[in-house]
Amino acid sequence: MSFSIFRQESAPPPPAPIVINKYSDERLRFIVKSMSERLELYKEKVTDQYASSPEISPPKKEDEEKKLAEAKEEKKEEKGLKTKLKEAAWYSVDIVLKPMEALMDPVLGNTIDPFTDRRYIAWLSLVTMAFNYNTWFLTARLCFPYHTESAMPYWFAMDTLADLIYLTDSIFFQARKQFVKGGDIIKDREVTKNNYRNSDRFLLDTISAMPFDLLYFQFGFKSIFRFNRLLKADTFFEFSDRLESIMTKAYIWRVIRTIGYLLFMLHINACLYYVASDYQGIGGTKWVYSGLGSAYLRCYYYAVRSLINIGGLNEPHTVFEITFQMTNFVVAVFVFSSLIGQMRDVIGAATAGQTYFRSSMDGTVDYMVNNHIPSLVQNRVRTWYTYTWDAQGMLDESELLDKMPLVMRTAIAVDINLTTFQKIDLFKGCDQQILVDMLLRLKSIVYLPGDFVVKKGDIGKEMYVIKSGAVQVVGGPDNSIVFVTLKAGCVFGEISLLQSSKDGGNRRTANVKAYGFANLFVLEKKDLFDILVHYPESRKVLARKGKKLMKAKGPAAAKAEEEKKKGLALSGPRPPTP
Ligand SMILES: Nc1nc2c(ncn2[C@@H]2O[C@@H]3COP(=O)(O)O[C@H]3[C@H]2O)c(=O)[nH]1
């Protein structure tokens, strides 16, 4: 029985593998084996990516960090050594320079503010002259035969003078220039000096001052050895910027500068023409310089005719001449068109205000003509435009000031109008800050002769301060009675403004008419009350003054005054008592 059980429990022997092809069977076995190996490998990789990938060794962090630190240290040391060497070199230079610098201290001060110091700008003009001397004369001397025996001492003297100016600029001026670092103005002399010495400008200045002229001894007196002097161009541009910033009419300088560029292009062309003529043989053909008269003048004349495309030149014949002439024409098209474009921009910017005024006036006139506005009104509008432009040089001052930060606007407003406002009786006893706040919200407006600024009975929404001209408070039939004439610095329109709207207290108490052209400041009620919210004490003061004014000049007082004036007009002045 047990035998039978045993037989039932034990598994039957596996069937003999079916071998179809011995080779493919082995192949399959191999594939299965490598797949299971691969599976194991991936499993391992999930837990430790470097364990089964001997080709990728895990980064040895510590080693790398150590190496990096060492490299850094080495660099630091190298840098430290360089700085030390540099410092030592400058130390020895300073031993020579410091006594000289000390001599200049009383004249130039410890440091120079390059933006506002006029002495610095005057100095820059001298350096610019030296730079221009080098630019114009070095090129001329290189091309024209100007290094004659007799002229050489003069050239030498002038060159030395220009070099001295360059050196003085680098040693005494540039090293003292204040600069801005992280918003701070650096005025420490040692720091300004180091800043200059580490700048690109210093590098260029140093190269420009290098005495390559010493090569004269080897190669003779040739201006080419001084061409490094042209690297001082930065000073010229700095001078140009500074001059523009201090000039009231900067466009004048811009026009001069652009003309200068134009003349210099012609100068270079004249030099090249002379060289080309010399190469061809002076007077050799009809196209080249003939050799007669002043060489520079004749060549410059050629350059003007050629570059400005005036024409009327002798025809070039040789290949060289044709190529030269053609290049001249092509260059002229690009260079001159851009220079003339630049000139147009400069003049356009200078007259931008005028153009804006013209276009807005033309636009308004067109609008009035299209809408058949009576010619009387049209003429008044034209007069307003012309007078406003003549009086303030712009139509809307606030447009210009709006772009500035508040501090600047305040500074300008305080400077122009605060003294006028301080004299106004109405604001006496009020906080001074109120006046400043008011100045910032004023709008300037021009009224023509006879214009009504304020009409009796209207709701008062603005008050006015007279900037220039005069206004009249009028009443009676046909507004023929003049109660009072108010001049520059007076306030009007304040009575209705300071009254509450209850019982119609906010209505204008009189007519106010412009007498002649009146330039007024307008302060809106809303703006005034916005300001007064922050000054309750001043608000009370103004309210009290408003009530007083109402009593003194309000409707009742005005009526009495009117009656009085009417009476006077009918009966004439009373005869003096005998
Ligand atoms: N009613 C009146 N107004 C005057 C007089 N003098 C100047 N004004 C000004 O004329 C303005 C007319 O408008 P408001 O009533 O707002 O404020 C008035 C005053 O500012 C005067 O004698 N009487």
Side-chain angles (χ1 to χ4, degrees):
M1 189 66 183
S2 62
F3 180 64
S4 72
I5 288 168
F6 175 66
R7 274 186 69 105
Q8 259 182 349
E9 277 178 351
S10 62
I18 306 159
V19 179
I20 300 167
N21 177 323
K22 204 180 167 191
Y23 173 76
S24 57
D25 189 57
E26 257 173 29
R27 190 86 203 123
L28 272 172
R29 268 170 211 283
F30 175 75
I31 289 170
V32 169
K33 198 180 158 202
S34 36
M35 289 291 272
S36 54
E37 271 174 11
R38 213 164 167 173
L39 183 70
E40 284 308 308
L41 195 77
Y42 283 129
K43 272 183 189 168
E44 270 175 33
K45 264 197 180 171
V46 171
T47 48
D48 181 3
Q49 57 169 323
Y50 301 108
S52 48
S53 306
E55 73 280 6
I56 310 167
S57 53
K60 288 178 185 166
K61 274 191 184 169
E62 272 176 24
D63 277 10
E64 247 172 45
E65 268 168 20
K66 217 176 172 183
K67 267 185 193 168
L68 266 174
E70 273 172 12
K72 258 188 192 171
E73 201 60 37
E74 258 173 41
K75 260 191 185 172
K76 235 185 191 176
E77 265 174 33
E78 213 173 281
K79 223 178 170 184
L81 200 73
K82 265 187 194 169
T83 337
K84 269 181 193 160
L85 276 173
K86 217 173 161 185
E87 272 170 11
W90 278 125
Y91 180 75
S92 44
V93 171
D94 277 340
I95 289 174
V96 184
L97 287 183
K98 270 200 173 143
M100 287 198 274
E101 281 176 4
L103 274 177
M104 294 300 276
D105 277 352
V107 190
L108 300 174
N110 191 36
T111 51
I112 299 170
D113 175 1
F115 294 98
T116 53
D117 197 331
R118 301 257 164 155
R119 288 170 309 163
Y120 177 62
I121 300 172
W123 169 255
L124 279 183
S125 70
L126 199 69
V127 187
T128 301
M129 272 186 325
F131 170 74
N132 270 292
Y133 161 76
N134 281 326
T135 319
W136 288 74
F137 283 92
L138 291 185
T139 40
R141 280 157 61 184
L142 184 72
C143 304
F144 290 89
Y146 285 159
H147 281 176
T148 55
E149 279 293 315
S150 55
M152 248 143 66
Y154 295 108
W155 290 131
F156 195 73
M158 292 294 286
D159 288 354
T160 316
L161 188 66
D163 291 355
L164 276 176
I165 294 174
Y166 271 33
L167 284 174
T168 314
D169 181 58
S170 291
I171 298 168
F172 299 118
F173 284 85
Q174 296 304 322
R176 269 166 217 258
K177 253 168 60 182
Q178 293 168 10
F179 65 100
V180 180
K181 191 179 174 190
D184 282 342
I185 303 170
I186 308 294
K187 292 181 180 172
D188 185 316
R189 168 80 148 281
E190 283 310 307
V191 186
T192 57
K193 203 194 270 184
N194 280 336
N195 178 57
Y196 173 58
R197 285 175 181 177
N198 292 325
S199 66
D200 294 342
R201 176 88 172 257
F202 173 73
L203 190 73
L204 287 176
D205 283 358
T206 313
I207 301 173
S208 76
M210 276 183 180
F212 292 115
D213 322 44
L214 293 176
L215 293 168
Y216 291 162
F217 291 114
Q218 181 68 26
F219 301 101
F221 195 61
K222 286 194 176 88
S223 70
I224 187 96
F225 301 129
R226 289 181 56 78
F227 264 61
N228 54 324
R229 303 289 188 270
L230 305 190
L231 292 176
K232 191 89 178 158
D234 269 0
T235 314
F236 168 72
F237 293 115
E238 189 187 0
F239 168 69
S240 176
D241 289 347
R242 298 283 170 275
L243 195 66
E244 267 184 28
S245 64
I246 60 162
M247 276 177 82
T248 39
K249 291 190 171 165
Y251 71 89
I252 296 179
W253 164 245
R254 286 187 207 128
V255 169
I256 295 174
R257 193 183 54 195
T258 315
I259 293 174
Y261 292 154
L262 212 112
L263 296 180
F264 186 68
M265 288 310 298
L266 292 169
H267 164 83
I268 293 291
N269 201 249
C271 292
L272 291 175
Y273 177 62
Y274 185 85
V275 173
S277 301
D278 199 26
Y279 170 73
Q280 286 270 94
I282 292 192
T285 65
K286 273 200 159 183
W287 180 81
V288 297
Y289 162 56
S290 62
L292 302 172
S294 156
Y296 185 76
L297 201 68
R298 299 274 171 129
C299 291
Y300 206 93
Y301 181 70
Y302 159 83
V304 172
R305 298 207 94 157
S306 171
L307 279 192
I308 306 183
N309 284 297
I310 294 172
L313 298 162
N314 288 327
E315 277 300 310
H317 289 292
T318 64
V319 175
F320 175 76
E321 287 172 359
I322 293 170
T323 317
F324 188 95
Q325 190 61 63
M326 220 160 54
T327 319
N328 250 9
F329 285 143
V330 175
V331 168
V333 169
F334 291 107
V335 175
F336 272 69
S337 56
S338 67
L339 279 178
I340 286 164
Q342 203 173 320
M343 190 78 101
R344 194 198 65 91
D345 288 350
V346 169
I347 293 168
T351 53
Q354 184 85 24
T355 316
Y356 173 68
F357 159 68
R358 289 251 158 263
S359 69
S360 38
M361 185 165 151
D362 290 349
T364 315
V365 170
D366 276 353
Y367 175 81
M368 289 191 298
V369 171
N370 290 339
N371 288 285
H372 309 291
I373 306 287
S375 53
L376 193 77
V377 179
Q378 286 196 24
N379 285 340
R380 282 181 75 75
V381 172
R382 280 200 186 98
T383 318
W384 177 84
Y385 262 105
T386 320
Y387 179 79
T388 310
W389 177 256
D390 289 345
Q392 48 191 43
M394 60 186 73
L395 295 178
D396 188 1
E397 285 178 333
S398 54
E399 244 177 51
L400 193 80
L401 299 178
D402 270 356
K403 288 168 198 131
M404 281 187 201
L406 187 68
V407 217
M408 301 269 171
R409 267 189 289 153
T410 314
I412 292 177
V414 164
D415 207 52
I416 301 175
N417 299 318
L418 187 64
T419 33
T420 317
F421 268 65
Q422 278 169 334
K423 284 182 204 149
I424 296 172
D425 279 340
L426 182 70
F427 302 128
K428 280 186 183 153
C430 292
D431 197 314
Q432 284 287 301
Q433 190 58 38
I434 288 193
L435 301 186
V436 178
D437 286 358
M438 272 184 206
L439 292 178
L440 291 171
R441 293 168 201 234
L442 291 178
K443 278 178 199 131
S444 172
I445 190 160
V446 171
Y447 281 87
L448 302 190
D451 272 356
F452 275 88
V453 185
V454 156
K455 283 226 161 160
K456 194 174 171 178
D458 283 356
I459 290 172
K461 291 178 198 149
E462 299 104 2
M463 61 179 270
Y464 302 85
V465 179
I466 306 171
K467 195 174 168 188
S468 63
V471 297
Q472 289 180 325
V473 180
V474 292
D478 308 331
N479 293 311
S480 53
I481 303 168
V482 176
F483 294 113
V484 65
T485 302
L486 304 171
K487 297 215 166 111
C490 291
V491 179
F492 66 93
E494 78 289 16
I495 297 183
S496 55
L497 201 82
L498 296 173
Q499 301 307 313
S500 72
S501 54
K502 270 187 248 160
D503 317 323
N506 60 342
R507 302 245 168 209
R508 298 289 188 198
T509 56
N511 289 320
V512 182
K513 205 166 117 177
Y515 179 73
F517 287 97
N519 201 340
L520 311 175
F521 286 126
V522 188
L523 180 66
E524 286 185 15
K525 186 173 185 168
K526 189 184 150 294
D527 287 338
L528 178 67
F529 281 78
D530 278 355
I531 297 168
L532 288 176
V533 166
H534 306 288
Y535 306 92
E537 284 307 312
S538 303
R539 191 188 174 121
K540 278 180 203 159
V541 173
L542 280 180
R544 240 180 284 133
K545 285 194 177 182
K547 268 183 198 153
K548 256 192 196 171
L549 280 168
M550 192 64 165
K551 263 189 202 161
K553 298 180 180 177
K559 211 173 178 184
E561 181 81 358
E562 215 169 295
E563 291 297 317
K564 205 170 116 193
K565 288 219 171 179
K566 262 191 211 165
L568 281 178
L570 286 174
S571 58
R574 244 172 64 179
T577 318

